[in-house]
Structures are given as structure tokens and as C-alpha cells.
Amino acid sequence: MTIETLETPSRADRFQALCELSQEMALVEDEWSIYRVVLEVARKVLDFFNCAILLVDCQTEELVIVDEHGYPTGTRGMRISLKGERGISRHVAVTGEMLYVPDVRQDDRYVPGVPEARSELAVPIKIRDRVLGVLNVESDKTDAFDHDEALLLQAL
């Protein structure tokens, strides 16, 4: 009997995932399929248990969770005000800058959602200088993401 272990994806695996994403995107016909493809590729190469795509609703000045993986039922469609003080995704949407929090329990911006969350990486989704939304991943491990993974998430 053998026990398979999960290995951290190598740089080559991550590059391959980006190539697959490019190929998949060429075939995508609607925005909802794009969200699903991005989440699938992120899941293949990053060690996370939650991932979400949040888009800015300019009329209401809120972030809206348009797709997710690993969150409780009912998470999709939730809204987060951009006018508040807290929220890691909110911070990224407002500043337009990536944010990595190695231990969410030590960061006042974190809004508790999933009790097992320990680290969070959020990157803005941008066209030129305009922030359209946020791609956000959480891990149940403290300090779970490295520089290469942050770059990969930005590339997605």
C-alpha cells in the first residue's frame, strides 16, 4: 500500500497552468466561464481552501462575490461595502495594490468569515489603472503563500 503525498507545484507546473489558462480563455464565450476557469487554475497551483472573485459594483460602491470555491452556501452574491474600514478585499479594491496577510488573526482589517482561515492573499483585477475587482485566496495554514504564488495570482 502506498500513500500519495501532495507536492507543492513547481515553477514549471505553475507556468504550465498559466499556459492552460491562456488556451482556455481563448475558448471562453462568456464572463461566467472566465471566472470558473480562473478559479480552477488557481486551485490547481495554489494551496488554498477558499478562493473568490469579487467585482466592483460602481453604482452601490460595493464588492460583489460573483464566483467562489470552498465557501459556505450562500456566499455567492454577498456584498462588501467599499466605504468601510475593514476587509482585506475591500482594502485591495480601494488601493489597487496586492495585499498578503500571513496571519489574518493578527490583522485588524480581516473580517472573520471562515474560522479555519489563517492566511490570505488578495490581488486587484485591473484594466490599466481601473480596479474591476479582487481575486482572493485563503489558506488554513499560517504564512501559506510565497512570492511566486503572489506573482502567479497576479498573472491570473
Side-chain angles (χ1 to χ4, degrees), residues 38 41 69 91 102 144 153:
V38 168
V41 171
H69 173 80
H91 178 83
L153 199 60

Side-chain angles (χ1 to χ4, degrees), residues 77-128:
M78 286 181 60
R79 294 176 168 267
I80 300 166
S81 175
L82 292 173
K83 296 178 182 178
E85 295 281 325
R86 298 181 64 208
I88 291 169
S89 293
R90 184 211 60 83
H91 178 83
V92 171
V94 170
T95 65
E97 300 292 326
M98 177 184 73
L99 180 60
Y100 174 48
V101 179
D103 189 346
V104 296
R105 299 168 296 179
Q106 305 299 320
D107 195 300
D108 290 337
R109 292 170 292 200
Y110 182 69
V111 177
V114 179
E116 299 84 12
R118 293 296 176 262
S119 55
E120 184 171 344
L121 175 60
V123 298
I125 300 168
K126 292 173 141 181
I127 293 182
R128 294 188 178 89

Side-chain angles (χ1 to χ4, degrees), residues 31-156:
E31 70 180 278
W32 300 106
S33 297
I34 290 172
Y35 306 150
R36 190 61 23 206
V37 169
V38 168
L39 292 180
E40 283 300 314
V41 171
R43 191 164 58 131
K44 281 183 183 179
V45 296
L46 297 176
D47 184 19
F48 69 83
F49 70 95
N50 291 333
C51 184
I53 296 174
L54 303 93
L55 295 182
V56 174
D57 181 335
C58 295
Q59 292 180 335
T60 62
E61 296 185 33
E62 296 172 311
L63 280 173
V64 181
I65 300 175
V66 296
D67 207 350
E68 55 76 27
H69 173 80
Y71 285 96
T73 304
T75 301
R76 196 170 299 159
M78 286 181 60
R79 294 176 168 267
I80 300 166
S81 175
L82 292 173
K83 296 178 182 178
E85 295 281 325
R86 298 181 64 208
I88 291 169
S89 293
R90 184 211 60 83
H91 178 83
V92 171
V94 170
T95 65
E97 300 292 326
M98 177 184 73
L99 180 60
Y100 174 48
V101 179
D103 189 346
V104 296
R105 299 168 296 179
Q106 305 299 320
D107 195 300
D108 290 337
R109 292 170 292 200
Y110 182 69
V111 177
V114 179
E116 299 84 12
R118 293 296 176 262
S119 55
E120 184 171 344
L121 175 60
V123 298
I125 300 168
K126 292 173 141 181
I127 293 182
R128 294 188 178 89
D129 290 333
R130 184 171 163 237
V131 176
L132 303 176
V134 176
L135 178 56
N136 182 353
V137 295
E138 294 178 340
S139 176
D140 58 352
K141 298 177 183 84
T142 303
D143 203 13
F145 304 106
D146 63 24
H147 181 71
D148 287 345
E149 289 166 327
L151 291 176
L152 175 67
L153 199 60
Q154 283 182 310
L156 288 177

